[in-house]
Amino acid sequence: MEHTHEHDHPITGPKTYMTILGALVVLTVITVWIAQFDFGAANTVVALLVASIKGALVALFFMHLRHDKFNAVIFVGGLFFLGVFLIFSLFDISTRQTVLPSNLKEPVQAFPGAPLGKPVQPGTGMPKGQAPVVPE
Amino acid sequence: MASENVMHANGHGAGAHADYLDSTKGLWSWLTTVDHKRIGLMYLWSVVFFMITGGLLALLIRLELLTPGPTIMDAELYNRAFTLHGAIMTFLVIIPGIPAALGNFILPLLLGAKDVAFPRLNLTSYYIYVVGALMALSTLILGGVDTGWTFYTPYSSTTGGGVSMMVLAAFVLGFSSIFTGVNFIATIHKMRAPGMGWFELPLFAWGMYATALIQILATPVLGITLLLLVMERVLSVGIFDPNLGGDPVLFQHFFWFYSHPAVYIMILPAMAIISEVIPVFSKKTIFGYKAIAFSSVAIALLGFLVWAHHMFTAGMSLFAGAIFSFITFFIAVPSAIKVFNWIATMWRGSISMKAPMIHAINFLLIFTIGGLTGLFLAALSTDVHLHDTYFVVAHFHYVMAGSNMIALLAGLHYWWPKMFGRMYNERMAAIAAALIFIGFNATFLPQFLMGSRGMPRRYYNYLEQFQELHVLSTIGSWILAFGLFMCLAVLLASLRGKKGVASNPWGGKTLEWEALSPPITHNFEDTPVLVHGPYDYRPQPVPVVVEREQGVTH
Amino acid sequence: MSQSTTVPSQDHHEHAHPPGLQHHFIDMRQQFEASKIGMWLFLVTEVLLFGGLFVGYGIMHSKHPEAFIAAHTHLDWRLGALNTIVLLVSSFTMVMGVWAAQTGQKKKLIGYLTTTFLLAGAFMVVKYIEYSHKFHEGLLPGKFYAHQGDTVPGQFMFFSFYFMMTGLHGIHVLLGMVAIAWLIWRAQKGHFSSQYYGPVDMVGLYWHLVDLIWIYLFPLMYLLT
């Protein structure tokens, strides 16, 4: 049986927690401050990076994960599968328009007759407000 | 000695040493029990009830398909019938079937534990299941659901009827499944008997562990998907609606991120049972213990990387299609590893063809057919032709229905004497097993043929050229139903006899056979200590003395 | 032909049954570690539940960047930042409560838990102010979106996600308040000691996760550029 040795570690005291809270508040200020600058496509990445530093502090100190390796594995494992979900979905979402069968030069129109990129009625494929064409 | 403290600890008094069925009396003692065995049985009867409900729906569907054109119901009713059949069988029967019913009962016994880690959570999980089941059934009054159990948008977000209720039911049932998973992982980590390392763990526990991993990692995503669908219906939030800038194929990504791993929630427990039954009835140590154990975990983890093979024809990008098709083939490897190891276990074993073993061998055949036909569907190019045909219907019934159900029956026949302390009529049980096997194949083999010839799934009408095969399939469904009812009757008939089965009728080596049949409320008089592995069938020169009787005050 | 021998369990003889130990566990340590694993597994399910929304948000954001950026200007980042600080401080008081429980200081435990509860309440009050402001302006999810004078179309989608994500988070805050109130009640009854403080620790973990999710929600909702 594995033991996480939670009890064997000295109990973290108020001083450490105080320091962490200070760091978190400072990082919140940085989050707001940094949002003024435009990093182009990296904007979200930068914001998420700062958030992740804050999240790591909360997880490691407030949630005691630095003394709790086993549960840290569980938690990081969960985040890993969330990453799989996002990235594998993006395999499709981000390549749907760019990767086409070799004999097609432009995106396939889902419903022939419907305008590309304009709203259509569900089911009929016709532009909104137009009567559906009933095939013979 | 120990008894005084045990009594003290749980307040059952003298009942603590009666078997769990008789320790306390009355309906209320069952409804408020936190005993994993009683909860397992409550799950078992609920699952049997819904299996009969879903099965009757299946019989009606097959009867409707006896002739092209209307036979006994109209098209609308047909859509609702197959949706309800799918939803009931998936969410109420197959997913909870083995883990929540048999797993709850057997897992703590296998580990030598008194109970699962969180008994009250376990009972909560059962009641959530009941609430979810009632919600699902209430859609019958609300006008039925005609979307199929996959609830694909945009149809599901626009059609009427009780879609929202059915979707919320599946959401609620997800919690039940999550709680079972949390319970099992904590139990396997922390409640093992002293001396039981990870590789002394019976393979059933490994299978349950892998299953629980998927339940925990995938089910929440289903929950949020279904909530989004309800939001789409109520608020038109737009995420799945192309008219509003959303993406209906995204729904399929969300849905299959759960529902493909859920396929392994269905098959891993089945494999787990087979891994227990085959060594016991071959009287041989399991071949390739570590390979079987790790392949369970590999299936669980790889299962998260392949979901979009359900979507090859949905308008997904070819790039993603190629990746998902490629990874899907890898899933076949751990599955095949298991099959080869089971066969190697049987090789030169002393095989006794008792009912559980017959079911296990049926499983091997049916799972192999189901698994291999899966490869046809994993291949991008063939799937374009076979997608949404009866080939797919037959494939997933072989894997989900056939393999899962037959493994459940194998486990039920194997552990029945332990659960109830009574033996069923073995001869009749064997005949029922044969009938189930014949009926199942007669129902679904013709569907492979139909599918490869172009019979689309979920159609109410069909061309006359398919009728012969449809008739064959319908007749098969009657044989299957007869076999299942016979099986149930044989098992239930045994309950009328007196308890009196030896604690270990099959000669099993795992810990549950150390307990009495049926076990006492706390499973073991004293914490058992492991002295050999779970499948140790080497001859033992010196029998180990059990000192169970010591310490019992009469 | 037996698999095992049995040994009488020692614990029952040597110790009196410690308060808070459930019958099926061998000792307090096994109980604590089991419930901790259970709690972390539950937190993982929470992460994936919210994760689905985050993935949906990310994909829709990348599909309609202009609409999302235009829509987020209707949010007041100062209120968001205020709520971030409130939650961070409440996380701090929560972890101090756990510390007080670990060191067996009943009065401090109750004090810290009460502060946490009040801060959670403050968070909900700020949330209420924000929501009522949005309702007033017609900044509502999906088909109820009725804001006048938009120049960029499709902003309803941002508010669909805004309300679903902050709404689900708000429900979690409310559930956390119920759990903290329960802890306060139990602490006053003297249930907890330095030997038995599992429930405080578990609710604490849950509360930190609620904080953690907000840490990500804040820049994604209020600070888009």
Side-chain angles (χ1 to χ4, degrees):
Chain A
M1 276 198 178
E2 72 278 19
H3 292 290
T4 45
H5 296 289
E6 169 78 16
H7 294 273
D8 307 342
H9 282 280
I11 294 168
T12 316
K15 265 189 188 164
T16 319
Y17 293 142
M18 223 31 223
T19 318
I20 298 302
L21 177 64
L24 287 170
V25 172
V26 170
L27 283 165
T28 306
V29 175
I30 291 178
T31 313
V32 175
W33 173 70
I34 215 165
Q36 302 167 18
F37 304 102
D38 193 3
F39 301 98
N43 273 334
T44 318
V45 179
V46 171
L48 287 181
L49 200 68
V50 180
S52 297
I53 296 171
K54 288 166 75 180
L57 287 178
V58 170
L60 287 174
F61 289 90
F62 286 179
M63 298 169 99
H64 304 127
L65 275 189
R66 69 196 169 117
H67 295 318
D68 194 354
K69 294 229 171 58
F70 177 73
N71 288 322
V73 171
I74 293 183
F75 191 56
V76 173
L79 294 175
F80 173 78
F81 279 95
L82 183 58
V84 166
F85 181 34
L86 176 64
I87 291 167
F88 276 59
S89 296
L90 285 177
F91 281 162
D92 168 32
I93 309 283
S94 60
T95 59
R96 207 179 289 163
Q97 292 301 313
T98 51
V99 181
L100 290 167
S102 54
N103 56 345
L104 277 177
K105 295 289 175 268
E106 53 188 60
V108 185
Q109 223 167 336
F111 299 103
L116 268 181
K118 295 250 176 70
V120 291
Q121 271 176 283
T124 64
M126 294 312 292
K128 278 213 152 167
Q130 208 168 311
V133 182
V134 184
E136 289 306 306
Chain B
M1 274 166 72
S3 61
E4 234 173 280
N5 290 290
V6 173
M7 287 195 301
H8 203 70
N10 71 88
H12 282 309
H17 285 287
D19 73 59
Y20 79 100
L21 291 166
D22 292 337
S23 61
T24 50
K25 299 274 182 196
L27 183 66
W28 188 246
S29 77
W30 279 81
L31 293 179
T32 57
T33 185
V34 288
D35 181 358
H36 68 96
K37 299 181 287 301
R38 286 186 164 201
I39 294 172
L41 282 195
M42 296 201 294
Y43 260 118
L44 180 66
W45 297 129
S46 311
V47 164
V48 167
F49 171 78
F50 286 111
M51 197 192 259
I52 292 171
T53 316
L56 289 176
L57 282 166
L59 285 176
L60 290 177
I61 294 166
R62 280 309 328 158
L63 195 56
E64 167 55 40
L65 292 168
L66 194 59
T67 62
T71 312
I72 55 163
M73 57 176 98
D74 62 12
E76 202 121 301
L77 192 60
Y78 175 80
N79 287 350
R80 288 176 186 156
F82 77 65
T83 302
L84 199 61
H85 163 75
I88 285 183
M89 286 305 203
T90 311
F91 294 116
L92 295 174
V93 178
I94 305 176
I95 288 180
I98 296 175
L102 281 182
N104 249 330
F105 195 102
I106 294 301
L107 184 68
L109 284 163
L110 276 178
L111 302 176
K114 282 185 193 159
D115 207 323
V116 292
F118 314 114
R120 271 175 298 182
L121 188 70
N122 202 11
L123 184 65
T124 314
S125 141
Y126 175 71
Y127 281 115
I128 292 176
Y129 169 82
V130 172
V131 170
L134 292 177
M135 287 169 74
L137 288 184
S138 73
T139 57
L140 284 172
I141 308 164
L142 294 170
V145 182
D146 58 354
T147 60
W149 77 277
T150 49
F151 312 119
Y152 272 11
T153 54
Y155 187 65
S156 62
S157 54
T158 48
T159 181
V163 177
S164 293
M165 181 54 88
M166 181 62 93
V167 162
L168 286 174
F171 175 77
V172 168
L173 289 167
F175 277 100
S176 166
S177 179
I178 287 174
F179 288 164
T180 304
V182 167
N183 231 330
F184 282 5
I185 290 194
T187 305
I188 293 171
H189 269 286
K190 287 295 168 195
M191 310 289 283
R192 302 197 300 273
M196 188 185 275
W198 280 94
F199 296 116
E200 280 94 43
L201 214 54
L203 286 164
F204 184 77
W206 274 98
M208 284 298 133
Y209 191 84
T211 309
L213 278 180
I214 307 174
Q215 286 176 313
I216 286 167
L217 289 168
T219 318
V221 176
L222 175 77
I224 203 66
T225 310
L226 298 176
L227 278 188
L228 280 169
L229 178 55
V230 172
M231 288 294 135
E232 189 76 85
R233 283 177 68 88
V234 177
L235 302 174
S236 303
V237 290
I239 174 170
F240 301 133
D241 187 345
N243 286 329
L244 300 173
D247 183 354
V249 179
L250 189 62
F251 175 84
Q252 300 189 20
H253 280 297
F254 271 66
F255 181 80
W256 288 112
F257 181 79
Y258 164 78
S259 292
H260 189 73
V263 172
Y264 302 108
I265 295 181
M266 303 169 194
I267 197 66
L268 282 169
M271 294 165 156
I273 287 176
I274 301 307
S275 304
E276 293 298 322
V277 170
I278 284 186
V280 171
F281 292 90
S282 306
K283 287 284 167 289
K284 247 185 89 198
T285 309
I286 190 97
F287 186 89
Y289 173 94
K290 285 191 180 176
I292 294 180
F294 286 134
S295 62
S296 291
V297 180
I299 290 174
L301 301 182
L302 269 176
F304 279 94
L305 309 179
V306 299
W307 76 81
H309 64 222
H310 295 267
M311 304 162 51
F312 288 154
T313 61
M316 189 174 59
S317 87
L318 275 184
F319 174 72
I323 288 184
F324 280 109
S325 174
F326 181 70
I327 303 176
T328 301
F329 282 99
F330 283 100
I331 280 274
V333 176
S335 309
I337 286 175
K338 279 177 186 284
V339 173
F340 288 132
N341 279 304
W342 290 324
I343 292 171
T345 305
M346 288 163 67
W347 187 59
R348 299 179 73 178
S350 165
I351 295 173
S352 50
M353 290 298 269
K354 300 282 175 76
M357 188 61 168
I358 297 173
H359 279 298
I361 291 171
N362 290 349
F363 170 91
L364 285 183
L365 293 167
I366 284 177
F367 176 70
T368 305
I369 296 175
L372 287 176
T373 49
L375 291 175
F376 292 58
L377 298 169
L380 204 44
S381 48
T382 43
D383 183 67
V384 170
H385 296 280
L386 294 173
H387 187 83
D388 268 351
T389 67
Y390 265 64
F391 193 90
V392 176
V393 176
H395 161 71
F396 74 70
H397 277 93
Y398 262 86
V399 185
M400 285 163 65
S403 301
N404 185 288
M405 180 184 70
I406 285 172
L408 176 67
L409 292 178
L412 207 53
H413 284 88
Y414 176 52
W415 282 307
W416 190 265
K418 179 58 58 189
M419 298 165 91
F420 297 101
R422 297 162 172 104
M423 185 57 86
Y424 45 85
N425 182 333
E426 293 194 57
R427 198 183 158 79
M428 296 303 274
I431 294 172
L435 280 175
I436 290 169
F437 182 73
I438 294 166
F440 184 84
N441 283 299
T443 310
F444 293 105
L445 267 180
Q447 299 191 1
F448 279 124
L449 296 177
M450 278 190 267
S452 61
R453 293 175 192 175
M455 169 77 210
R457 74 189 278 204
R458 290 178 172 172
Y459 271 35
Y460 172 69
N461 287 338
Y462 54 84
L463 300 174
E464 271 175 24
Q465 69 204 60
F466 292 118
Q467 192 179 5
E468 280 170 24
L469 289 169
H470 269 301
V471 168
L472 196 55
S473 183
T474 303
I475 292 172
S477 74
W478 298 337
I479 302 174
L480 178 58
F482 181 76
L484 284 169
F485 274 105
M486 181 173 167
C487 173
L488 185 66
V490 168
L491 289 176
L492 290 180
S494 77
L495 293 182
R496 290 169 48 200
K498 278 190 89 176
K499 283 182 220 166
V501 169
S503 60
N504 192 356
W506 313 118
K509 296 283 182 173
T510 37
L511 276 182
E512 81 273 29
W513 300 110
E514 287 300 306
L516 295 170
S517 295
I520 58 167
T521 301
H522 286 163
N523 297 348
F524 303 95
E525 298 285 355
D526 291 304
T527 311
V529 175
L530 218 67
V531 292
H532 60 67
Y535 309 105
D536 194 352
Y537 286 100
R538 290 169 301 182
Q540 281 178 312
V542 188
V544 181
V545 181
V546 191
E547 297 178 358
R548 180 185 289 118
E549 292 307 317
Q550 271 191 8
V552 181
T553 42
H554 292 282
Chain C
M1 291 306 286
S2 152
Q3 175 177 13
S4 73
T5 57
T6 56
V7 288
S9 42
Q10 299 295 316
D11 302 79
H12 285 303
H13 303 277
E14 286 170 8
H15 318 292
H17 194 70
L21 179 63
Q22 290 175 286
H23 73 89
H24 60 291
F25 289 112
I26 295 168
D27 54 22
M28 291 303 272
R29 184 190 178 118
Q30 189 193 27
Q31 171 169 315
F32 182 80
E33 288 181 0
S35 33
K36 200 140 186 174
I37 289 183
M39 192 65 206
W40 274 104
L41 292 170
F42 173 70
L43 294 187
V44 164
T45 67
E46 290 280 16
V47 166
L48 284 152
L49 184 80
F50 275 96
L53 281 175
F54 277 103
V55 169
Y57 173 90
I59 288 171
M60 287 302 132
H61 182 195
S62 67
K63 258 186 111 156
H64 310 288
E66 304 85 10
F68 272 58
I69 288 170
H72 104 278
T73 54
H74 298 303
L75 302 182
D76 187 345
W77 69 266
R78 285 163 302 189
L79 287 179
L82 174 66
N83 254 353
T84 308
I85 302 288
V86 168
L87 266 198
L88 287 175
V89 175
S90 82
S91 234
F92 166 75
T93 56
M94 188 73 225
V95 80
M96 289 300 289
V98 174
W99 167 76
Q102 284 173 328
T103 49
Q105 310 176 67
K106 186 180 160 187
K107 268 195 178 159
K108 281 192 178 174
L109 170 62
I110 294 172
Y112 281 123
L113 288 176
T114 313
T115 320
T116 313
F117 183 85
L118 292 175
L119 285 166
F123 178 89
M124 290 312 290
V125 169
V126 175
K127 206 78 242 163
Y128 171 78
I129 294 169
E130 282 190 280
Y131 270 27
S132 51
H133 176 246
K134 303 282 168 311
F135 280 32
H136 188 68
E137 291 200 11
L139 297 163
L140 290 162
K143 65 181 174 193
F144 296 104
Y145 185 84
H147 189 250
Q148 300 298 315
D150 283 351
T151 47
V152 184
Q155 298 189 26
F156 71 92
M157 180 95 79
F158 176 86
F159 283 97
S160 296
F161 277 101
Y162 172 79
F163 281 104
M164 286 194 292
M165 293 171 95
T166 57
L168 190 62
H169 181 261
I171 290 169
H172 279 79
V173 173
L174 287 177
L175 290 178
M177 288 173 76
V178 172
I180 294 167
W182 172 71
L183 284 184
I184 296 172
W185 176 75
R186 283 195 71 178
Q188 268 167 346
K189 289 219 158 188
H191 286 186
F192 302 124
S193 66
S194 58
Q195 294 305 305
Y196 174 68
Y197 59 92
V200 185
D201 206 22
M202 302 310 143
V203 174
L205 287 175
Y206 170 84
W207 190 249
H208 298 312
L209 187 85
V210 172
D211 183 23
L212 218 148
I213 289 165
W214 183 260
I215 287 176
Y216 282 90
L217 277 179
F218 172 56
L220 285 179
M221 288 290 166
Y222 292 84
L223 301 171
L224 290 177
T225 38

